Amino acid sequence: MIISTGTASGKSLAYLAPAIASCLDGGTILYLTPTKALAADQLRGLRELRITQVRAATFDGDTPFEERAWVRRHANYVLTNPDMLHRGILPRHSQWSSFFRRLRMIVVDECHGYRGVFGSHVAQILRRLRRVCSRYGSRPTFLLASATASEPGTFAMRLTGLEMDEVTVDESPKGSTTIALWEPPLTELRGEGGAPVRRTATAEAADLLADLVLADVRTLAFVRSRRGAETVALTARAKLADVAFSLSTSPRIPPHHLPATPTSTDTSTAADPHSRPSTASPSEFAHGPDTHPDPDLDTGPHPDTDTDTATTLGPRAAAHGPDRPSAVREFADSPDEPHDEDTPTPATSNPLTWAIPDPSDGSAPSDWADLPNKIAAYRAGYLAEDRRLLEKALRAGTLMGLASTNALELGVDVSGLDAVLIAGWPGTRASLWQQAGRAGRDGRDALAVLIARDDPLDTYLVHHPQALFGQPVETIVLDPDNPYVLGPHLCAAAAEIPLTEDDLPIFGTTTSNLLDDLVTQGMLRRRSAGWFWTKRERATDLADIRGGGGSPIQVVESSTGRLLGSVDEPSAHTTVHTGAVYLHQGETFLVELLDLEAGVALVTAANPDYSTFARDITDISILGTQRSHPLGPGTLHFGEVEVTRQVVSYLMRRLQSGEMLGDEPLDLPPRTLRTRAVWWTLPASAVAPLAEAGIDLGGAAHAAEHASIGLLPLFATCDRWDIGGVSTELHADTGLLTVFVYDGHEGGAGFAERGYARATDWLTATREAIASCECERGCPSCIQSPKCGNGNEPLDKRGAIRLLNTLLTPQ
């Protein structure tokens, strides 16, 4: 069964009651969650019940080794995650034999986070789990819990391979939520190509976070990147430190007496002449994805509001109450992703001005000294003990503001929040409601503010709110039959228990042919009894379920040997390369050395006045075309491609002005990706009139590629940083003007395929986004890309509109 209802609707109670009953009856329960944070939160709740017969324990990477044996032998309610199930429990199932024999229920909580390649891996892990349970004679019930998802029963069946009943009726009480769309103002600065630059979403978020905390409004700010979360917290703390200093030198009331509501709102002059221009990272006409989901990311509920309140909040802000939205969380946390949003900058006037009345009794400076400490950052990559302390402080109210990646989007209990700030479109409507739903969870009214980035999709949504409100959430995309996913899990299953003919239906219809390939490759050996794993290596090492592609890189302070955290291997190329500026819990470091072979990045404390952004180059070749159909005078294709990306240098930009200080070369190995792509071509007869009209065909294709990458997340359950693109006036494999958009995951993740299926809608929205932008020649809100390896040159905005008009003209 899958229970798919909104925030605080009683899903936890729905599985806790039968789960605890099973424990009291001598059975065991396996609770599966995407993150360690949620498992720790659930364990705390179970222990507060004080039911001695329920021996609950977490079994994950944070569990001390001396406690693991006790958990295997004695725990009857085990809370874990897909990573530990994959690497630690299933390969050692014989040590868990007593637990598996009594297993009555498997709870898959926050299951809507299992999408894309990660979801495909989890689907195969659950099939391996079912097979191990059969070995010990148990047939546990699967109970899935999800924030409201589109077609939850169909999704749950693809995830587990089992027929599913679904519960979707949600009549739980909700407070009203005011949803505000906030577009930052244009600044006086000019970016690449002289394009106007908006103030960054993270800069706006830092101002709002500081103001809300100053007004005693408990606030959670979701930021798109690890570095962005750190800088939002750091900037907001600095603002509060300034306030604390000024108020401590004159008679003022203590912080807890500040008003909880603003007395005036004036944001029309919030333009910031000091904000920096957007930055580009690598690749001429080619824009690679930055997809490195974290092993400890979270997710959570959505605001199913009954009452909508309109307000105006900013230079161009509109508020819209959702039409009883449903939600599915966006799961992945991209540490280096939005390069143009990572460094908040000071504003000339605060977006909100809070009245601070004169006190009658005055206050000592000590009353204000702790004010900056009411804000902190939270993200995956922190050590476990640091994450747990932050979660506890937020629940207790010691922290009033937290800047977080989507690591706190899950259903971790942080009730009592009053407001949520979302710095940049989170990737899906489902994730938007999930994040917004973190405020007002105790039934009180709440505020959620979506702050648009200088990005085509964010700008499109601010100007087209009908694309957000009253729309169903997206269908969750996953492909368990992806051979790059299925193959490694067949090897892992064979290493656990030799595969037999009876096992093949569990893993899908393509299993038989894939097993033959694995035998040919020497990965498995066929015997009369079945298929056997024959290698000495661990079979589970073949499947990188989070899609990172390599062992994590440990970030170590060179002078002390202190372990600061970890970065997945692909992220390391762009975030902790030699010379990179690295932020950790408000501290700034410079990377002295990145040693990929040793798996370590050595850093030293520093305070540079610049930020760094990696640049890469990308090549793409077509391996095979699976489907094609005419599109206007051109042709739309979907198939398999090979993408080669290499980080070749990094830019240094001054923090305050955005001035480029240099472009330093790097010597890092290329990364090759075999994936799937959607691409369109136009024949010479169709583009010749455009060339005769003086349009730069390469620049037009380049601009259309940028904008189409930005708009695809509106039509596929993905993020801009899950996909990449390449455009060229004449591609070697097609001999035509060609624009590619590809999945940033080995074997594909279904995003490009969704783009192929909805190409007309997708490309029409792309054209409208470019045409409706108020800039003259192109800017980050329409055709410029923050990860362009060619410095956003050449780009032709007018040409892109003409090119898309030609492509979309019916023949």
Side-chain angles (χ1 to χ4, degrees):
M1 174 179 289
I2 178 170
I3 302 174
S4 182
T5 55
T7 306
S9 56
K11 294 188 295 293
S12 296
L13 182 61
Y15 62 71
L16 275 174
I20 291 174
S22 296
C23 290
L24 297 178
D25 196 33
T28 59
I29 301 297
L30 183 65
Y31 172 91
L32 192 66
T33 174
T35 71
K36 292 180 279 190
L38 184 54
D41 186 71
Q42 288 283 316
L43 178 63
R44 180 184 57 82
L46 282 166
R47 288 178 173 171
E48 287 176 353
L49 296 176
R50 300 185 181 278
I51 302 175
T52 56
Q53 297 95 322
V54 177
R55 299 181 298 278
T58 56
F59 192 86
D60 54 35
D62 293 344
T63 306
F65 281 94
E66 57 271 18
E67 293 182 15
R68 296 187 181 188
W70 183 92
V71 175
R72 286 192 295 265
R73 294 171 188 156
H74 303 294
N76 58 5
Y77 198 121
V78 174
L79 305 99
T80 188
N81 53 53
D83 308 79
M84 184 58 79
L85 187 60
H86 166 60
R87 292 184 176 274
I89 296 178
L90 293 178
R92 299 180 177 88
H93 58 85
S94 60
Q95 299 177 6
W96 292 81
S97 58
S98 175
F99 181 86
F100 280 124
R101 286 192 182 97
R102 297 178 292 132
L103 187 58
R104 303 282 183 82
M105 181 183 293
I106 297 169
V107 178
V108 186
D109 201 3
E110 303 292 350
C111 64
H112 47 284
Y114 300 129
R115 64 168 187 84
V117 171
F118 178 56
S120 302
H121 278 292
V122 173
Q124 293 299 341
I125 292 171
L126 293 180
R127 285 157 174 77
R128 287 164 49 200
L129 174 61
R130 288 170 48 203
R131 186 166 169 264
V132 166
C133 290
S134 296
R135 169 67 177 265
Y136 293 99
S138 63
R139 294 189 60 189
T141 298
F142 277 78
L143 200 158
L144 284 65
S146 163
T148 307
S150 178
E151 301 178 354
T154 302
F155 157 67
M157 185 170 65
R158 287 184 62 79
L159 185 65
T160 63
L162 299 168
E163 293 292 331
M164 282 282 159
D165 287 331
E166 60 180 41
V167 175
T168 58
V169 177
D170 181 0
E171 297 182 356
S172 56
K174 299 289 189 300
S176 65
T177 300
T178 298
I179 309 290
L181 303 183
W182 183 302
E183 184 174 50
L186 290 170
T187 70
E188 297 176 359
L189 287 178
R190 292 294 180 265
E192 291 173 317
V197 177
R198 293 192 184 278
R199 193 159 187 264
T200 64
T202 44
E204 298 284 282
D207 280 353
L208 287 170
L209 181 60
D211 289 329
L212 289 165
V213 169
L214 196 61
D216 204 29
V217 177
R218 195 177 302 183
T219 306
L220 180 60
F222 285 107
V223 190
R224 296 299 303 262
S225 70
R226 291 181 176 188
R227 183 166 56 182
E230 295 277 9
T231 51
V232 165
L234 188 63
T235 305
R237 285 165 62 96
K239 292 178 183 298
L240 291 186
D242 290 342
V243 171
F245 176 78
S246 62
L247 295 181
S248 65
T249 59
S250 61
R252 296 285 181 179
I253 61 171
H256 59 274
H257 287 158
L258 289 173
T261 56
T263 59
S264 64
T265 301
D266 181 11
T267 60
S268 59
T269 60
D272 176 16
H274 302 294
S275 65
R276 65 182 181 84
S278 71
T279 58
S281 117
S283 121
E284 174 182 6
F285 302 87
H287 311 280
D290 286 306
T291 53
H292 357 271
D294 266 300
D296 195 31
L297 298 189
D298 303 1
T299 44
H302 78 286
D304 204 358
T305 57
D306 295 324
T307 307
D308 304 329
T309 306
T311 188
T312 300
L313 292 175
R316 182 181 287 109
H320 304 270
D323 183 15
R324 296 194 65 79
S326 37
V328 180
R329 145 192 74 269
E330 177 72 31
F331 194 70
D333 173 27
S334 298
D336 62 329
E337 147 216 302
H339 295 166
D340 58 334
E341 294 292 351
D342 282 345
T343 310
T345 51
T348 55
S349 62
N350 282 334
L352 296 179
T353 303
W354 305 98
I356 303 178
D358 292 331
S360 57
D361 56 350
S363 61
S366 60
D367 292 327
W368 298 96
D370 198 47
L371 187 58
N373 294 328
K374 291 183 176 295
I375 292 178
Y378 182 103
R379 61 171 175 81
Y382 282 178
L383 300 179
E385 53 268 30
D386 294 335
R387 294 195 305 270
R388 300 296 93 84
L389 286 173
L390 287 168
E391 293 160 15
K392 183 178 180 181
L394 186 61
R395 283 194 299 268
T398 308
L399 284 175
M400 290 297 296
L402 200 62
S404 173
T405 61
N406 63 353
L408 271 182
E409 188 183 323
L410 262 178
V412 178
D413 181 14
V414 287
S415 57
L417 294 178
D418 304 305
V420 166
L421 306 175
I422 304 170
W425 172 244
T428 63
R429 285 183 291 269
S431 191
L432 174 69
W433 306 134
Q434 193 81 348
Q435 293 183 2
R438 305 304 281 145
R441 294 196 68 191
D442 56 358
R444 295 185 299 180
D445 293 351
L447 169 69
V449 183
L450 172 62
I451 307 169
R453 292 182 299 165
D454 211 358
D455 172 270
L457 180 53
D458 289 46
T459 304
Y460 178 84
L461 292 172
V462 168
H463 291 274
H464 299 81
Q466 67 275 14
L468 281 180
F469 303 104
Q471 298 293 327
V473 297
E474 302 83 353
T475 301
I476 302 172
V477 177
L478 71 156
D479 181 15
D481 296 328
N482 180 336
Y484 293 95
V485 172
L486 177 57
H489 286 285
L490 289 175
C491 292
E496 290 155 7
I497 306 168
L499 287 164
T500 67
E501 292 283 350
D502 293 339
D503 295 324
L504 303 191
I506 295 177
F507 293 98
T509 56
T510 62
T511 302
S512 181
N513 292 335
L514 193 54
L515 283 173
D516 293 339
D517 292 341
L518 293 172
V519 171
T520 302
Q521 297 168 26
M523 307 298 288
L524 297 179
R525 182 171 298 168
R526 178 73 188 269
R527 291 288 183 263
S528 58
W531 290 265
F532 293 76
W533 172 252
T534 60
K535 295 185 175 294
R536 305 180 92 179
E537 296 84 5
R538 287 166 48 97
T540 52
D541 291 341
L542 296 174
D544 180 13
I545 73 170
R546 301 278 178 172
S551 301
I553 303 298
Q554 306 299 317
V555 182
V556 177
E557 188 173 20
S558 59
S559 59
T560 64
R562 176 170 60 120
L563 176 63
L564 300 179
S566 62
V567 178
D568 58 271
E569 198 269 343
S571 301
H573 289 237
T574 51
T575 58
V576 290
H577 56 75
T578 301
V581 175
Y582 179 76
L583 294 178
H584 179 78
Q585 292 189 345
E587 298 181 74
T588 307
F589 299 87
L590 276 178
V591 180
E592 296 178 354
L593 175 69
L594 170 61
D595 190 333
L596 293 172
E597 291 187 6
V600 65
L602 297 177
V603 302
T604 185
N607 191 29
D609 65 345
Y610 61 86
S611 55
T612 55
F613 306 93
R615 299 174 68 104
D616 64 17
I617 56 175
T618 304
D619 292 318
I620 191 167
S621 59
I622 299 171
L623 301 180
T625 302
Q626 297 179 7
R627 295 193 289 277
S628 298
H629 69 74
L631 183 63
T635 308
L636 186 74
H637 306 270
F638 172 75
E640 189 175 8
V641 298
E642 183 173 84
V643 181
T644 302
R645 297 180 61 207
Q646 183 177 18
V647 174
V648 294
S649 66
Y650 67 93
L651 299 177
M652 296 183 293
R653 290 185 181 270
R654 197 175 299 280
L655 289 176
Q656 295 300 320
S657 67
E659 174 190 0
M660 188 161 74
L661 303 177
D663 187 352
E664 297 294 325
L666 290 170
D667 182 19
L668 289 169
R671 300 182 60 83
T672 300
L673 178 73
R674 293 183 67 141
T675 185
R676 295 178 182 178
V678 54
W679 66 94
W680 51 268
T681 59
L682 279 173
S685 59
V687 298
L690 302 179
E692 293 171 0
I695 289 174
D696 177 358
L697 293 178
H702 194 195
E705 173 221 331
H706 281 185
S708 61
I709 290 173
L711 268 292
L712 181 57
L714 192 60
F715 301 92
T717 314
C718 70
D719 181 80
R720 175 175 183 154
W721 300 83
D722 287 332
I723 52 181
V726 176
S727 59
T728 176
E729 187 176 347
L730 188 67
H731 191 266
D733 293 339
T734 65
L736 303 170
L737 183 149
T738 309
V739 175
F740 295 86
V741 175
Y742 62 87
D743 291 347
H745 299 271
E746 195 74 36
F751 309 139
E753 187 170 14
R754 185 58 60 89
Y756 178 85
R758 300 198 59 187
T760 301
D761 294 338
W762 166 38
L763 295 173
T764 299
T766 300
R767 179 185 60 188
E768 291 176 358
I770 300 173
S772 64
C773 185
E774 59 191 300
C775 72
E776 181 179 347
R777 298 177 52 200
C779 69
S781 294
C782 58
I783 62 172
Q784 288 191 349
S785 169
K787 51 183 179 175
C788 179
N790 200 50
N792 281 301
E793 289 289 344
L795 291 175
D796 187 339
K797 178 179 178 177
R798 183 174 64 92
I801 297 172
R802 290 279 302 275
L803 191 65
L804 289 168
N805 280 337
T806 301
L807 180 68
L808 294 168
T809 300
Q811 299 296 300

